Amino acid sequence: MLNGAGRSVIVNSKVSDVRWDGFTIKEGTATRGGGVFNDQSSVIIANCIIRGNEAKEGGGIYSVAGYPVFYNVEISGNQAEKGGAIYNERTDPLLTNVTISGNQASSGGGFYNNNSNPMVQNTIIYGNRAQTSPSVYNKSSAPGFSYSLIEGSKDDGTNWNELFGIDKGNNLDKDPMFRKEGFDKDGNMQSGSYELFTSSCVINKGNNLHIYDIEVLSDQDLQSPGERVYVTLPYDLNGNERIQYDQ
């Protein structure tokens, strides 16, 4: 567990080939990026929970430039003026198997994208709150979504709302049926439980091919230093082995 104690919990500045794996990142406070501040950095954040952080921009994560990668991450209970969960500025991050819920902001409860084009796949963006754009706010941005659930992204449940970005196929706009949402019935923030009920509409709706899209550096079984390999995500956030192709 990493605790910010009044500042950004993690600061990545002009770095690459760095991986943060298996942490709970909480209680950070900053002007930008209460939980994680990425400055011109192409880092990997995997198997982490980013929860209960605050900032003016990017309560959970603030990224400027660079190409960060997030997979198997929960981003919940964060607050900001812009981008309760994530604020992107001139950056094109990749998000795979991410849950973004229970965050709040004035604009962009989930995402605030400023001149940024994130790629979002196998991801849930639901139950965030904001006066403007509770799920996704775009300024000169065109994020791409596939095999994801994005609350409010379909005007009547079927027609994609282009204000959200680019529909790359197989997206949903329904209640994912979390065990416990991040706001109570009176609208107060509470600690959510983002496991899914067995009747959830998103179960078996992701694309397993996406979990092979994560390019990482490894020091095992490589022919030369720095060689890049593709790896799978063998475990989910609960530590259970993933089910892939009925195996």
Side-chain angles (χ1 to χ4, degrees):
M1 182 178 295
L2 302 177
N3 191 309
R7 63 187 69 185
S8 294
V9 182
I10 293 175
V11 176
N12 300 302
S13 182
K14 298 180 181 178
V15 297
S16 60
D17 301 339
V18 172
R19 173 170 171 148
W20 297 88
D21 196 322
F23 293 98
T24 295
I25 300 165
K26 60 183 292 187
E27 298 180 10
T29 303
T31 301
R32 294 177 172 176
V36 179
F37 179 85
N38 292 319
D39 176 21
Q40 304 175 65
S41 296
S42 299
V43 299
I44 295 172
I45 295 180
N47 308 308
C48 288
I49 297 174
I50 302 172
R51 177 187 294 163
N53 303 283
E54 297 184 18
K56 183 176 180 181
E57 297 176 338
I61 301 165
Y62 179 95
S63 297
V64 55
Y67 300 93
V69 173
F70 305 90
Y71 64 87
N72 227 34
V73 174
E74 175 194 312
I75 308 170
S76 66
N78 303 286
Q79 302 181 67
E81 292 182 18
K82 298 178 179 179
I86 302 173
Y87 188 109
N88 294 314
E89 182 169 358
R90 293 180 284 110
T91 184
D92 301 333
L94 172 64
L95 292 88
T96 303
N97 294 19
V98 176
T99 296
I100 300 171
S101 188
N103 305 283
Q104 68 178 7
S106 296
S107 298
F111 275 101
Y112 191 105
N113 295 312
N114 183 7
N115 289 286
S116 299
N117 304 307
M119 183 63 64
V120 182
Q121 50 200 29
N122 288 11
T123 287
I124 299 174
I125 305 171
Y126 185 88
N128 303 286
R129 299 200 173 189
Q131 296 174 1
T132 303
S133 304
S135 293
V136 179
Y137 181 92
N138 290 319
K139 180 180 179 181
S140 302
S141 301
F145 299 92
S146 65
Y147 293 91
S148 295
L149 187 152
I150 313 99
E151 184 178 13
S153 60
K154 297 190 176 183
D155 293 331
D156 57 2
T158 57
N159 295 319
W160 179 260
N161 184 343
E162 294 183 354
L163 292 177
F164 279 71
I166 301 172
D167 179 7
K168 292 184 173 291
N170 299 285
N171 294 305
L172 299 171
D173 181 4
K174 298 180 180 180
D175 185 346
M177 298 184 67
F178 294 131
R179 296 279 178 176
K180 181 182 177 183
E181 295 191 12
F183 293 92
D184 65 21
K185 62 181 181 179
D186 296 320
N188 301 309
M189 294 187 78
Q190 62 182 7
S191 180
S193 175
Y194 300 104
E195 295 180 39
L196 301 171
F197 284 104
T198 55
S199 56
S200 171
C201 64
V202 297
I203 292 176
N204 295 326
K205 297 299 183 182
N207 184 353
N208 284 337
L209 292 177
H210 284 329
I211 68 174
Y212 291 93
D213 289 345
I214 308 302
E215 190 180 38
V216 301
L217 291 179
S218 174
D219 58 3
Q220 298 179 354
D221 302 323
L222 300 182
Q223 299 301 313
S224 61
E227 182 180 349
R228 292 185 180 272
V229 296
Y230 287 86
V231 299
T232 62
L233 310 180
Y235 302 103
D236 62 20
L237 278 174
N238 292 322
N240 300 317
E241 291 188 6
R242 291 189 177 280
I243 299 174
Q244 300 181 29
Y245 306 107
D246 299 324
Q247 300 297 317

